Amino acid sequence: MNAHTTITPFRIDIPQKALDDLEARLARTRWAAIPPGRDDRTDFSRGIPQPYLRELVEHWRDGFDWRAQEAALNAFPQLLTEIDGQTFHAVHVASPNPDATPLLLCHGWPGSFVEYRHLIPLLTEDFHVVVPSPPGFGFSTPLSSTGWEVGRTAEAYGEIMTRLGYDRFVAHGSDLGSGIVSQLASAHPERVIATHLACEQRLLGLVGVIFPMPDGLTPEEQSELAPLSAEAASERGYLEMQNHKPDTIGAALADSPVGQLAWIAEKFKTRGDRHPTPSDSVDRDDLLANVSLYWFTNSGESSAQFYYEAAHSGMPPAMGAPVPAGWVVFDAHPLVRRVMDPLQMIGRWTEFAEGGHFPALEAPELLARDIRDFVRSLG
């Protein structure tokens, strides 16, 4: 890491011309012809259905108040700092309790620091909360160079905590944030007090793809795993595009706000809890605030580049860091622990029937309670 350690306070201030441009682009949307039989707004079998997408676009154009969202997000103190030539954005909310534990929250894709907007106030009594954005995400743009993958990002996150004065801290993550957390704890167990990871049953679809297939699965367990793997396989199109062709999908995401909205909102359905539409899982304005952040920062393509760098880094997922670990599983399935913790080595394992891939938005009270209880259990 470089010796330049300046931390600059930051406030979101999207130029009005960017808002006007977004409104004009939404008004000029050229819609595809709706295929026969695709008029059900809850039918996501072929991707996001146009009737539902049109509802989101109409609200984004005529009902959504970005300035109100901007003001609410600016209630959280934010900063910019440069590491290895890359600008990093982070939220940093210090607890009124000076003895609070530093807590690093690591989001993934298609999330952002917006994902934690309802979680942060539930944690600050006990934690100094830090939420950085990975290179190419949100205000951690533009990308300064290639080579920003999980390991390098983990080192940068550790440097951010150092610059904020936190020598030791707890780290929580979900999605690719879990990989960053695990890598950071593996590389620096002397600094990471404990790791806390959130996931949901769709993680089972990555068994044999990213995570190893455990030995000794019974025929019954194999039969349960098969449809879950098939379901997840149908959702890996975005992963293959971002892992291998980010420039191609990036061109569409940079030019079309409706394309960016569809690309993200569909994942809030297939990864979220099992409601008819994403708007039934998370607040519609939270969803659109997250998508707006991707649009205004032009980070649809640059966040996809992170996937490419990670996929081509040759770095296997970090597993089993030598620090206390807690896992919380939303939309739980018994096979998750059987697959991810076959020897039951993880110290704390919690399962909830509700929630999904975005628990900080879907079930923030449950997630906050589990983080708090886990850290308190460490003594």
Side-chain angles (χ1 to χ4, degrees), residues 48-326:
I48 190 166
Q50 190 179 129
Y52 173 68
L53 182 59
R54 282 178 177 264
E55 292 175 18
L56 287 180
V57 170
E58 180 179 349
H59 181 67
W60 199 10
R61 186 184 66 238
D62 298 327
F64 177 73
D65 186 348
W66 168 255
R67 291 301 185 202
Q69 298 294 320
E70 188 176 72
L73 294 173
N74 277 331
F76 299 122
Q78 299 164 61
L79 62 92
L80 298 178
T81 193
E82 183 181 311
I83 301 173
D84 283 356
Q86 173 66 46
T87 295
F88 280 85
H89 169 268
V91 171
H92 177 214
V93 184
S95 172
N97 174 12
D99 297 324
T101 301
L103 173 65
L104 178 68
L105 299 178
C106 302
H107 70 79
W109 183 92
S112 67
F113 69 93
V114 174
E115 194 173 335
Y116 294 117
R117 64 188 308 175
H118 304 301
L119 181 68
I120 291 171
L122 302 175
L123 294 173
T124 51
E125 181 179 341
D126 299 288
F127 301 99
H128 303 298
V129 179
V130 181
V131 188
S133 293
F137 286 68
F139 295 106
S140 293
T141 52
L143 280 172
S144 62
S145 67
T146 59
W148 281 105
E149 36 66 48
V150 172
R152 190 178 179 190
T153 301
E155 292 294 327
Y157 280 15
E159 176 65 13
I160 290 171
M161 297 302 280
T162 297
R163 294 181 185 185
L164 292 173
Y166 301 133
D167 293 329
R168 302 194 72 222
F169 50 89
V170 173
H172 162 83
S174 61
D175 192 69
L176 65 85
S178 295
I180 295 171
V181 165
S182 299
Q183 181 62 38
L184 181 56
S186 295
H188 299 285
E190 76 285 356
R191 297 197 62 194
V192 180
I193 298 168
T195 62
H196 184 272
L197 306 182
C199 67
E200 84 287 356
Q201 68 165 276
R202 289 173 180 82
L203 186 72
L204 294 171
L206 297 177
V207 175
V209 179
I210 295 178
F211 304 109
M213 182 72 71
D215 296 329
L217 288 180
T218 67
E220 291 78 12
E221 289 172 330
Q222 292 179 30
S223 66
E224 286 187 71
L225 188 60
L228 296 170
S229 298
E231 178 185 0
S234 69
E235 298 299 325
R236 287 204 291 270
Y238 86 94
L239 186 64
E240 296 305 317
M241 283 295 295
Q242 298 197 154
N243 278 356
H244 303 294
K245 304 292 182 182
D247 291 355
T248 300
I249 188 59
L253 300 179
D255 187 63
S256 171
V258 174
Q260 180 69 87
L261 174 60
W263 191 244
I264 289 178
E266 192 259 347
K267 292 305 164 201
F268 270 76
K269 162 60 179 176
T270 58
R271 291 179 168 194
D273 62 19
R274 299 178 185 275
H275 283 94
T277 71
S279 304
D280 300 308
S281 300
V282 303
D283 183 86
R284 181 173 57 176
D285 281 354
D286 286 341
L287 172 62
L288 289 173
N290 181 66
V291 175
S292 296
L293 180 66
Y294 274 81
W295 175 255
F296 290 136
T297 59
N298 197 15
S299 54
E301 188 267 349
S302 55
S303 61
Q305 296 291 344
F306 190 98
Y307 274 71
Y308 181 93
E309 297 294 341
H312 294 82
S313 69
M315 177 186 295
M319 302 291 286
V323 302

Side-chain angles (χ1 to χ4, degrees), residues 119 122 273 281 330 354-356 358-368:
L119 181 68
L122 302 175
D273 62 19
S281 300
F330 294 87
E354 58 264 61
F358 306 97
L361 286 175
E362 296 164 320
E365 293 84 2
L366 293 179
L367 180 56

